[in-house]
Amino acid sequence: MADSLERDARKWIKVFREESGDGTSGAPALAERRDAIVRRTLTWWDRARRALAWRAAPGETPDPYRVWLSEVLLQQTTASAATPYYRTFVERWPTVERLAAAPMEEVISAFAGLGYYSRARNLHACAKAVAARGGRFPSEEAELRALPGVGAYTAAAIAAIAFDRRAAPVDGNIARIVARLTALETPIASSRKAIAAAARALAPDRRAGDFAQALMDIGATLCRPLTPDCPACPLSRDCLAFRSGAPETFPRKAAAKPKPKRIGAVFFAHRADGAFLARRRPPKGLLASTVELPGTVWTGEGPGTAWAEDAPIPARWRRLPGAVDQVFTHFALSLAVYAAPYAGGAPDSHFWVSRDAVAEAGFSNVMRKAVAHAIAARPE
DNA sequence: AAAGCGGGGGG
DNA sequence: CCCCCAGCTTT
């Protein structure tokens, strides 16, 4: 059963790929299914499309500037998060020339809160590039691809949506749909080319932009990652994942790769009254602004300060038995803990934390554990 | 807590 | 070419 589904998936992708090439090989049954998929998808979209701020009304000619702007804002961002930003941008900079003429800082500020701020820099650079060629966006994918901040996805989206070219953008939604249509057994990340080929083969000669937007809407509202609504989906009768009975198990997940291990050491420098030295982490990056014990750089991390440069180094650091372990999103950390009495004043950027103020001091979980570890060892 | 998400830059 | 990163959302 699984084998036949797998064969079917490969056949789909293979045939789609062939049909998207020179078109000589005949596979009428699958070609008809492809046409049926397109027809059902467009019919569904004409009835159920989302009314998003950047979408031209049916029959209206899209403005390439608005299409591009919306696609950049939508990178790594949901439609609901992008909408208020889109409105702000088009009101403030109604044309690409106006955006190109704006100071960079204003563009960055207008982006604040969306994340991935290199998008803002590229947005501005791209506006300038387009303004320099007369304010008209190229309609060819290859030329679009050469613009700053425009990768394969965005180039295909603009070509299809703004210029009605037969292009096949593959965003996360569309990749999921293709993986489900074909019951693809390999994870999306390792099947990019096959998915792109299948998407290209599916794309219709006319209304490719509508088709792509329709798939995105289906992905967002029906073919959801965890809870697909197959009964409402216009593609379910063509969908091998649906036929498998467990559509939500597609796309297959890549095996979680083992987290890299990092190691480091922290120093518990304690005073006669039990207080110990701490410092605050930088305002950016991991555990930003939280309080920590002074310690070494963790392996695999950037530069840092092990111990205050202006402080005397205790001669009697004692390695405490055991270690403090913490698993973060991207890596696992194991910290050795060293302790020593310390009689001097607090060095620059360091401060004393008394034993009964540990809870309110602002330690991260891992540093709280490290402090508890040190105290439990009853140094001195 | 963990996964998802396009482009870009680095290995 | 593949891998990793970046910040915020959604689950």
Side-chain angles (χ1 to χ4, degrees), chain A residues 167-245:
Chain A
V170 178
D171 71 348
N173 288 315
I174 293 177
R176 185 171 59 254
I177 290 172
V178 170
R180 284 181 174 160
L181 276 176
T182 61
L184 185 66
E185 283 297 338
T186 48
I188 285 177
S190 50
S191 317
R192 286 266 157 70
K193 292 182 72 168
I195 291 172
R200 268 197 306 278
L202 272 175
D205 289 321
R206 292 183 314 194
R207 298 191 71 190
D210 286 353
F211 181 68
Q213 293 180 91
L215 290 182
M216 294 178 202
D217 277 13
I218 289 172
T221 65
L222 301 176
C223 196
R224 296 168 300 223
L226 298 181
T227 56
D229 185 0
C230 300
C233 180
L235 301 178
S236 58
R237 81 183 73 180
D238 305 294
C239 180
L240 297 181
F242 174 64
R243 280 170 41 187
S244 81

Side-chain angles (χ1 to χ4, degrees), chain A residues 1 25 34-36 78 82 87 106 117-118 141 181-182 206 240-241 255 257 267 271 315 333 344 355 373 376:
Chain A
M1 180 58 173
S25 75
R34 198 255 325 256
D35 292 345
T78 59
R87 294 191 195 284
E106 287 186 22
Y117 301 104
S118 63
E141 259 184 285
L181 276 176
T182 61
R206 292 183 314 194
L240 297 181
K257 63 175 174 192
F267 303 114
R271 215 162 53 178
L333 176 66
R355 289 288 169 96
H373 189 83

Side-chain angles (χ1 to χ4, degrees), chain A residues 19-79:
Chain A
E19 288 180 355
S20 69
D22 56 17
T24 52
S25 75
L30 282 169
E32 282 167 25
R33 278 172 81 184
R34 198 255 325 256
D35 292 345
I37 287 172
V38 169
R39 192 170 351 102
R40 290 185 195 114
T41 300
L42 289 173
T43 300
W44 176 88
W45 198 62
D46 289 336
R47 173 173 52 79
R49 55 181 261 162
R50 292 180 295 173
L52 300 172
W54 44 85
R55 284 188 176 166
E60 193 183 352
T61 303
D63 174 1
Y65 168 65
R66 296 186 170 215
V67 173
W68 161 74
L69 175 61
S70 67
E71 289 300 340
V72 172
L73 293 176
L74 286 165
Q75 290 165 6
Q76 307 290 66
T77 308
T78 59

Side-chain angles (χ1 to χ4, degrees), chain A residues 342-365:
Chain A
Y342 183 82
D348 272 0
S349 309
H350 290 62
F351 47 87
W352 293 103
V353 175
S354 69
R355 289 288 169 96
D356 50 10
V358 173
E360 302 84 45
F363 286 105
S364 58
N365 284 335

